[in-house]
Amino acid sequence: MNARPAWWVAPANTLLTPATRSRFRDPARAFEAAERAAADRSGLPWPRDREFRSRMRFLSDAWLSAPGVTPLGRLSVQNEVERRLETRLRLLHLFEARPEVADQVVDRPVFITGLPRTGTTFAHGLLAQHARTRAPALWELLDPVPPSGREGERVRDRRERLASARSVIRFLNAMAPRWQSIHPMHPLEPEECVFLLPHSMAHHVRIPVPEYRAWMEERDTTPDYEFLKAALQAMQLDHATAAGRRPPASAAGRGAPRRWVLKSPLHLGSLDALLRVFPDATVVLTDRDPVRATASWGSLVEAGMALHLDRVDPHWIGEEWLGIWTRSMARAERVRAASAPGTFVDLPYDELTADPVGVAERVWTGLGEEFDDLSRRRTTDYTRRDRRPSPHRYTIDRYGLTPERVLAAFGG
């Protein structure tokens, strides 16, 4: 799999070097600039929020201090920090100005997780076709907070938010023409909720930040899931306000709130915090040959790092992420063993691909939802779409691993 960026990326990095060298020489000043940019773009002042900003600064400093980051890579992570700070700022003001947001019930959400590249994306889209569910689209995840009504706030309507997401995807496709073969993304399609979680191992995909990874593996991630819940509450309120009524429900449960269907393999190492914040959640676990999963994930990480670094070491990727995923899996198994029966639902890859409509019906009826005609028709239509423009090829040896070692790491 060719993970190299488009031809124009190298000359662009050369042209940007002088300007970015001075702009990012001091990571502390770069973070202060990101805070000002978030306030300017939202039109909202910063309240006291020391703990959140301190944690986000730790990530920003780690990114900008890492060796070998290209000028475009530095601009990319600076924009990401600014976006997340702006989302935080808007969310704080929304909850202060509209206390009813906190009354929004996040009803029995479904979280899809498992080792990466095991069908989580397909399962996410599949289960989201049920008529009484809702999965966040990429455009919502990038800009999730409705207006608070504060004086001076810069309001962006849905068209602006959608246009911004389309610009992000166009630029990504221009930089990495093969990215859509690895992880297809569309502004209107469901996407991973790590775009909302303030902190996750997703940040380790862009640029290697071992100190951040070690911090993430030791910390209690409950605040990140509390932030995710608050963002979901804001998005529910936005949906109901735009519709002029409560979110629509299917005939199977008229008047009931729609259930969120959320997804990320990176939840695997934080299921204890997830279930602490969402105690009525169901966790759907996908499963696939770990050798194929590890090789496929390696190619995704390589492609992501190639957009940000002047050199990528595939063997480092293999070693680093094999350790991350085996530790995450072991932690998930401990959480599952301590959880109430019915909290976890297994979804093997072979079953998912052999009979996806049957799988969707099994999962939803098992969760107490009628699989009505509308849900069946939408689910069937989803399975007939062709989402991938070209095949995604990968081999485990490129990442310095052997099938035997991967199987042994995951206990066979």
Short mmCIF file of all heavy atoms in Angstrom, two decimals, residues 2-49:
data_model
loop_
_atom_site.label_atom_id
_atom_site.label_comp_id
_atom_site.label_asym_id
_atom_site.label_seq_id
_atom_site.Cartn_x
_atom_site.Cartn_y
_atom_site.Cartn_z
N ASN A 2 0.71 2.12 -0.95
CA ASN A 2 1.50 3.34 -1.04
C ASN A 2 0.93 4.38 -0.08
O ASN A 2 -0.15 4.91 -0.29
CB ASN A 2 1.45 3.87 -2.48
CG ASN A 2 2.28 5.14 -2.65
OD1 ASN A 2 2.96 5.57 -1.73
ND2 ASN A 2 2.22 5.71 -3.83
N ALA A 3 1.67 4.65 1.00
CA ALA A 3 1.20 5.59 2.02
C ALA A 3 1.73 7.00 1.80
O ALA A 3 1.46 7.89 2.60
CB ALA A 3 1.62 5.10 3.40
N ARG A 4 2.47 7.20 0.74
CA ARG A 4 3.08 8.51 0.53
C ARG A 4 2.03 9.57 0.20
O ARG A 4 1.06 9.30 -0.51
CB ARG A 4 4.10 8.44 -0.60
CG ARG A 4 5.36 7.67 -0.23
CD ARG A 4 6.32 7.62 -1.39
NE ARG A 4 5.74 6.91 -2.52
CZ ARG A 4 6.34 6.75 -3.69
NH1 ARG A 4 7.55 7.26 -3.88
NH2 ARG A 4 5.76 6.09 -4.65
N PRO A 5 2.23 10.81 0.68
CA PRO A 5 1.30 11.89 0.33
C PRO A 5 1.38 12.23 -1.15
O PRO A 5 2.24 11.73 -1.89
CB PRO A 5 1.80 13.06 1.20
CG PRO A 5 2.66 12.44 2.25
CD PRO A 5 3.25 11.22 1.63
N ALA A 6 0.50 13.10 -1.60
CA ALA A 6 0.47 13.55 -2.98
C ALA A 6 1.78 14.27 -3.34
O ALA A 6 2.51 14.76 -2.46
CB ALA A 6 -0.72 14.46 -3.21
N TRP A 7 2.04 14.39 -4.64
CA TRP A 7 3.31 14.92 -5.13
C TRP A 7 3.59 16.33 -4.64
O TRP A 7 4.74 16.73 -4.45
CB TRP A 7 3.31 14.92 -6.67
CG TRP A 7 2.30 15.87 -7.26
CD1 TRP A 7 1.01 15.60 -7.61
CD2 TRP A 7 2.49 17.27 -7.54
NE1 TRP A 7 0.38 16.72 -8.08
CE2 TRP A 7 1.27 17.76 -8.06
CE3 TRP A 7 3.56 18.15 -7.39
CZ2 TRP A 7 1.09 19.10 -8.43
CZ3 TRP A 7 3.39 19.48 -7.76
CH2 TRP A 7 2.17 19.94 -8.29
N TRP A 8 2.53 17.14 -4.42
CA TRP A 8 2.73 18.56 -4.13
C TRP A 8 3.05 18.82 -2.65
O TRP A 8 3.40 19.94 -2.27
CB TRP A 8 1.48 19.36 -4.50
CG TRP A 8 0.22 18.91 -3.80
CD1 TRP A 8 -0.69 18.01 -4.25
CD2 TRP A 8 -0.24 19.35 -2.51
NE1 TRP A 8 -1.70 17.84 -3.33
CE2 TRP A 8 -1.46 18.65 -2.26
CE3 TRP A 8 0.24 20.24 -1.56
CZ2 TRP A 8 -2.17 18.84 -1.09
CZ3 TRP A 8 -0.48 20.43 -0.38
CH2 TRP A 8 -1.68 19.73 -0.17
N VAL A 9 2.94 17.80 -1.80
CA VAL A 9 3.11 18.00 -0.36
C VAL A 9 4.55 18.37 -0.03
O VAL A 9 4.80 19.27 0.78
CB VAL A 9 2.65 16.75 0.41
CG1 VAL A 9 3.04 16.84 1.87
CG2 VAL A 9 1.14 16.56 0.25
N ALA A 10 5.54 17.70 -0.65
CA ALA A 10 6.95 17.99 -0.35
C ALA A 10 7.32 19.43 -0.71
O ALA A 10 7.91 20.14 0.12
CB ALA A 10 7.85 16.99 -1.06
N PRO A 11 7.02 19.92 -1.93
CA PRO A 11 7.35 21.33 -2.20
C PRO A 11 6.58 22.31 -1.31
O PRO A 11 7.11 23.37 -0.96
CB PRO A 11 6.98 21.50 -3.68
CG PRO A 11 6.17 20.32 -4.06
CD PRO A 11 6.57 19.22 -3.15
N ALA A 12 5.35 21.96 -0.94
CA ALA A 12 4.60 22.84 -0.03
C ALA A 12 5.29 22.93 1.32
O ALA A 12 5.38 24.02 1.92
CB ALA A 12 3.18 22.33 0.12
N ASN A 13 5.80 21.81 1.81
CA ASN A 13 6.52 21.84 3.09
C ASN A 13 7.77 22.70 3.00
O ASN A 13 8.12 23.43 3.94
CB ASN A 13 6.89 20.41 3.50
CG ASN A 13 5.74 19.69 4.19
OD1 ASN A 13 5.01 20.29 4.97
ND2 ASN A 13 5.58 18.41 3.90
N THR A 14 8.46 22.63 1.86
CA THR A 14 9.64 23.46 1.68
C THR A 14 9.30 24.94 1.73
O THR A 14 9.98 25.74 2.39
CB THR A 14 10.32 23.12 0.33
OG1 THR A 14 10.68 21.73 0.33
CG2 THR A 14 11.55 23.97 0.12
N LEU A 15 8.24 25.33 1.04
CA LEU A 15 7.82 26.73 1.01
C LEU A 15 7.37 27.22 2.39
O LEU A 15 7.57 28.39 2.73
CB LEU A 15 6.69 26.91 0.00
CG LEU A 15 7.07 26.78 -1.48
CD1 LEU A 15 5.81 26.79 -2.35
CD2 LEU A 15 8.00 27.93 -1.88
N LEU A 16 6.76 26.34 3.18
CA LEU A 16 6.21 26.75 4.47
C LEU A 16 7.24 26.73 5.60
O LEU A 16 6.96 27.24 6.69
CB LEU A 16 5.05 25.82 4.84
CG LEU A 16 3.76 25.98 4.03
CD1 LEU A 16 2.83 24.82 4.31
CD2 LEU A 16 3.08 27.31 4.37
N THR A 17 8.41 26.17 5.35
CA THR A 17 9.38 26.00 6.43
C THR A 17 9.74 27.31 7.14
O THR A 17 9.71 27.36 8.39
CB THR A 17 10.65 25.31 5.90
OG1 THR A 17 10.31 23.98 5.48
CG2 THR A 17 11.72 25.23 6.97
N PRO A 18 10.10 28.40 6.43
CA PRO A 18 10.50 29.62 7.16
C PRO A 18 9.39 30.15 8.07
O PRO A 18 9.66 30.52 9.22
CB PRO A 18 10.82 30.60 6.02
CG PRO A 18 11.13 29.74 4.84
CD PRO A 18 10.25 28.55 4.95
N ALA A 19 8.16 30.20 7.57
CA ALA A 19 7.08 30.77 8.37
C ALA A 19 6.73 29.90 9.57
O ALA A 19 6.51 30.41 10.68
CB ALA A 19 5.84 30.97 7.50
N THR A 20 6.69 28.60 9.38
CA THR A 20 6.30 27.72 10.49
C THR A 20 7.42 27.57 11.51
O THR A 20 7.15 27.32 12.69
CB THR A 20 5.88 26.34 9.97
OG1 THR A 20 6.93 25.78 9.17
CG2 THR A 20 4.62 26.43 9.13
N ARG A 21 8.66 27.72 11.07
CA ARG A 21 9.78 27.61 12.03
C ARG A 21 9.64 28.65 13.12
O ARG A 21 9.81 28.36 14.31
CB ARG A 21 11.11 27.76 11.31
CG ARG A 21 12.31 27.60 12.25
CD ARG A 21 13.63 27.79 11.54
NE ARG A 21 13.91 26.70 10.62
CZ ARG A 21 14.10 26.85 9.32
NH1 ARG A 21 14.02 28.07 8.77
NH2 ARG A 21 14.35 25.81 8.55
N SER A 22 9.33 29.89 12.75
CA SER A 22 9.19 30.94 13.76
C SER A 22 7.86 30.81 14.52
O SER A 22 7.80 31.04 15.73
CB SER A 22 9.27 32.32 13.10
OG SER A 22 8.25 32.46 12.11
N ARG A 23 6.81 30.40 13.83
CA ARG A 23 5.49 30.32 14.46
C ARG A 23 5.44 29.25 15.55
O ARG A 23 4.77 29.44 16.58
CB ARG A 23 4.42 30.03 13.40
CG ARG A 23 3.01 29.89 13.96
CD ARG A 23 2.01 29.68 12.85
NE ARG A 23 0.68 29.44 13.37
CZ ARG A 23 -0.39 29.21 12.63
NH1 ARG A 23 -0.28 29.21 11.31
NH2 ARG A 23 -1.57 28.98 13.18
N PHE A 24 6.14 28.14 15.34
CA PHE A 24 6.04 27.02 16.27
C PHE A 24 7.33 26.78 17.05
O PHE A 24 7.52 25.72 17.63
CB PHE A 24 5.65 25.75 15.50
CG PHE A 24 4.31 25.85 14.84
CD1 PHE A 24 4.20 25.84 13.45
CD2 PHE A 24 3.16 25.97 15.59
CE1 PHE A 24 2.96 25.93 12.83
CE2 PHE A 24 1.91 26.07 14.99
CZ PHE A 24 1.81 26.05 13.60
N ARG A 25 8.22 27.78 17.07
CA ARG A 25 9.47 27.62 17.80
C ARG A 25 9.21 27.38 19.28
O ARG A 25 9.88 26.60 19.94
CB ARG A 25 10.37 28.85 17.61
CG ARG A 25 11.70 28.74 18.35
CD ARG A 25 12.59 29.94 18.12
NE ARG A 25 13.07 29.99 16.74
CZ ARG A 25 12.74 30.94 15.86
NH1 ARG A 25 11.93 31.93 16.23
NH2 ARG A 25 13.21 30.92 14.63
N ASP A 26 8.22 28.08 19.83
CA ASP A 26 7.89 27.98 21.25
C ASP A 26 6.52 27.33 21.38
O ASP A 26 5.49 27.96 21.13
CB ASP A 26 7.88 29.37 21.88
CG ASP A 26 7.62 29.33 23.38
OD1 ASP A 26 7.26 28.26 23.90
OD2 ASP A 26 7.75 30.39 24.04
N PRO A 27 6.43 26.04 21.79
CA PRO A 27 5.12 25.37 21.91
C PRO A 27 4.16 26.09 22.86
O PRO A 27 2.95 26.07 22.64
CB PRO A 27 5.49 23.98 22.44
CG PRO A 27 6.88 23.75 21.96
CD PRO A 27 7.54 25.10 22.03
N ALA A 28 4.68 26.71 23.91
CA ALA A 28 3.80 27.41 24.86
C ALA A 28 3.10 28.58 24.18
O ALA A 28 1.89 28.79 24.35
CB ALA A 28 4.60 27.90 26.06
N ARG A 29 3.85 29.35 23.38
CA ARG A 29 3.24 30.47 22.68
C ARG A 29 2.27 29.98 21.60
O ARG A 29 1.24 30.61 21.35
CB ARG A 29 4.33 31.34 22.05
CG ARG A 29 5.17 32.09 23.07
CD ARG A 29 6.22 32.94 22.39
NE ARG A 29 5.64 33.94 21.51
CZ ARG A 29 6.34 34.75 20.72
NH1 ARG A 29 7.67 34.65 20.70
NH2 ARG A 29 5.74 35.63 19.97
N ALA A 30 2.57 28.84 20.99
CA ALA A 30 1.67 28.29 19.98
C ALA A 30 0.33 27.91 20.61
O ALA A 30 -0.73 28.12 20.02
CB ALA A 30 2.31 27.07 19.31
N PHE A 31 0.38 27.35 21.84
CA PHE A 31 -0.88 26.98 22.49
C PHE A 31 -1.67 28.23 22.89
O PHE A 31 -2.91 28.26 22.75
CB PHE A 31 -0.62 26.12 23.72
CG PHE A 31 -1.88 25.62 24.36
CD1 PHE A 31 -2.61 24.60 23.78
CD2 PHE A 31 -2.36 26.21 25.53
CE1 PHE A 31 -3.79 24.15 24.36
CE2 PHE A 31 -3.54 25.76 26.11
CZ PHE A 31 -4.25 24.73 25.52
N GLU A 32 -0.99 29.24 23.36
CA GLU A 32 -1.68 30.49 23.69
C GLU A 32 -2.33 31.09 22.45
O GLU A 32 -3.45 31.63 22.51
CB GLU A 32 -0.70 31.48 24.31
CG GLU A 32 -0.21 31.06 25.70
CD GLU A 32 1.00 31.86 26.17
OE1 GLU A 32 1.45 32.75 25.40
OE2 GLU A 32 1.49 31.60 27.28
N ALA A 33 -1.68 30.96 21.31
CA ALA A 33 -2.27 31.44 20.05
C ALA A 33 -3.51 30.62 19.69
O ALA A 33 -4.50 31.17 19.18
CB ALA A 33 -1.24 31.37 18.93
N ALA A 34 -3.46 29.32 19.98
CA ALA A 34 -4.63 28.47 19.71
C ALA A 34 -5.80 28.87 20.61
O ALA A 34 -6.96 28.88 20.15
CB ALA A 34 -4.27 27.00 19.92
N GLU A 35 -5.53 29.19 21.85
CA GLU A 35 -6.60 29.65 22.75
C GLU A 35 -7.22 30.94 22.25
O GLU A 35 -8.45 31.10 22.26
CB GLU A 35 -6.04 29.84 24.16
CG GLU A 35 -5.69 28.55 24.88
CD GLU A 35 -5.16 28.82 26.27
OE1 GLU A 35 -4.23 29.65 26.41
OE2 GLU A 35 -5.68 28.21 27.22
N ARG A 36 -6.38 31.87 21.80
CA ARG A 36 -6.91 33.14 21.28
C ARG A 36 -7.73 32.90 20.01
O ARG A 36 -8.79 33.52 19.82
CB ARG A 36 -5.76 34.11 20.98
CG ARG A 36 -5.07 34.65 22.22
CD ARG A 36 -4.18 35.83 21.88
NE ARG A 36 -3.13 35.46 20.94
CZ ARG A 36 -1.93 34.99 21.30
NH1 ARG A 36 -1.64 34.83 22.59
NH2 ARG A 36 -1.01 34.69 20.39
N ALA A 37 -7.25 32.01 19.15
CA ALA A 37 -7.98 31.71 17.92
C ALA A 37 -9.34 31.11 18.22
O ALA A 37 -10.34 31.45 17.56
CB ALA A 37 -7.16 30.76 17.04
N ALA A 38 -9.42 30.22 19.21
CA ALA A 38 -10.71 29.63 19.59
C ALA A 38 -11.68 30.69 20.08
O ALA A 38 -12.87 30.68 19.74
CB ALA A 38 -10.50 28.56 20.66
N ALA A 39 -11.18 31.62 20.88
CA ALA A 39 -12.03 32.70 21.39
C ALA A 39 -12.46 33.63 20.26
O ALA A 39 -13.62 34.06 20.19
CB ALA A 39 -11.29 33.47 22.48
N ASP A 40 -11.54 33.95 19.35
CA ASP A 40 -11.87 34.85 18.24
C ASP A 40 -12.89 34.22 17.30
O ASP A 40 -13.83 34.89 16.84
CB ASP A 40 -10.60 35.21 17.46
CG ASP A 40 -9.66 36.10 18.25
OD1 ASP A 40 -10.11 36.69 19.26
OD2 ASP A 40 -8.47 36.20 17.89
N ARG A 41 -12.72 32.93 16.99
CA ARG A 41 -13.62 32.28 16.04
C ARG A 41 -15.02 32.10 16.62
O ARG A 41 -16.01 32.14 15.90
CB ARG A 41 -13.05 30.93 15.60
CG ARG A 41 -11.83 31.06 14.70
CD ARG A 41 -11.63 29.83 13.83
NE ARG A 41 -11.53 28.60 14.57
CZ ARG A 41 -10.54 27.70 14.42
NH1 ARG A 41 -9.55 27.96 13.58
NH2 ARG A 41 -10.52 26.58 15.10
N SER A 42 -15.09 31.88 17.92
CA SER A 42 -16.40 31.69 18.55
C SER A 42 -17.03 33.00 18.99
O SER A 42 -18.25 33.08 19.17
CB SER A 42 -16.27 30.77 19.77
OG SER A 42 -15.47 31.38 20.77
N GLY A 43 -16.20 34.03 19.21
CA GLY A 43 -16.71 35.28 19.74
C GLY A 43 -17.03 35.19 21.22
O GLY A 43 -17.75 36.04 21.76
N LEU A 44 -16.50 34.17 21.90
CA LEU A 44 -16.82 33.92 23.30
C LEU A 44 -15.56 34.01 24.16
O LEU A 44 -14.49 33.58 23.74
CB LEU A 44 -17.44 32.53 23.46
CG LEU A 44 -18.76 32.29 22.72
CD1 LEU A 44 -19.11 30.82 22.72
CD2 LEU A 44 -19.87 33.11 23.36
N PRO A 45 -15.67 34.55 25.37
CA PRO A 45 -14.50 34.64 26.25
C PRO A 45 -14.25 33.32 26.97
O PRO A 45 -15.16 32.51 27.17
CB PRO A 45 -14.92 35.73 27.25
CG PRO A 45 -16.42 35.58 27.33
CD PRO A 45 -16.87 35.19 25.96
N TRP A 46 -13.00 33.12 27.38
CA TRP A 46 -12.67 31.93 28.15
C TRP A 46 -13.07 32.10 29.60
O TRP A 46 -12.64 33.04 30.27
CB TRP A 46 -11.17 31.65 28.08
CG TRP A 46 -10.76 30.85 26.88
CD1 TRP A 46 -10.13 31.31 25.77
CD2 TRP A 46 -10.97 29.45 26.68
NE1 TRP A 46 -9.93 30.29 24.87
CE2 TRP A 46 -10.43 29.13 25.41
CE3 TRP A 46 -11.55 28.44 27.44
CZ2 TRP A 46 -10.47 27.84 24.89
CZ3 TRP A 46 -11.59 27.16 26.92
CH2 TRP A 46 -11.05 26.86 25.66
N PRO A 47 -13.89 31.20 30.14
CA PRO A 47 -14.10 31.17 31.59
C PRO A 47 -12.94 30.42 32.25
O PRO A 47 -12.03 29.96 31.56
CB PRO A 47 -15.42 30.38 31.73
CG PRO A 47 -15.40 29.46 30.54
CD PRO A 47 -14.67 30.18 29.44
N ARG A 48 -13.02 30.26 33.56
CA ARG A 48 -12.00 29.44 34.22
C ARG A 48 -12.18 27.99 33.78
O ARG A 48 -13.24 27.40 33.96
CB ARG A 48 -12.12 29.55 35.73
CG ARG A 48 -11.62 30.88 36.29
CD ARG A 48 -11.67 30.88 37.81
NE ARG A 48 -10.86 29.79 38.37
CZ ARG A 48 -9.55 29.88 38.58
NH1 ARG A 48 -8.89 30.98 38.25
NH2 ARG A 48 -8.89 28.87 39.12
N ASP A 49 -11.15 27.43 33.21
CA ASP A 49 -11.23 26.05 32.72
C ASP A 49 -9.83 25.47 32.71
O ASP A 49 -9.37 24.88 31.73
CB ASP A 49 -11.84 26.04 31.30
CG ASP A 49 -12.25 24.65 30.84
OD1 ASP A 49 -12.60 23.82 31.70
OD2 ASP A 49 -12.21 24.40 29.63
#
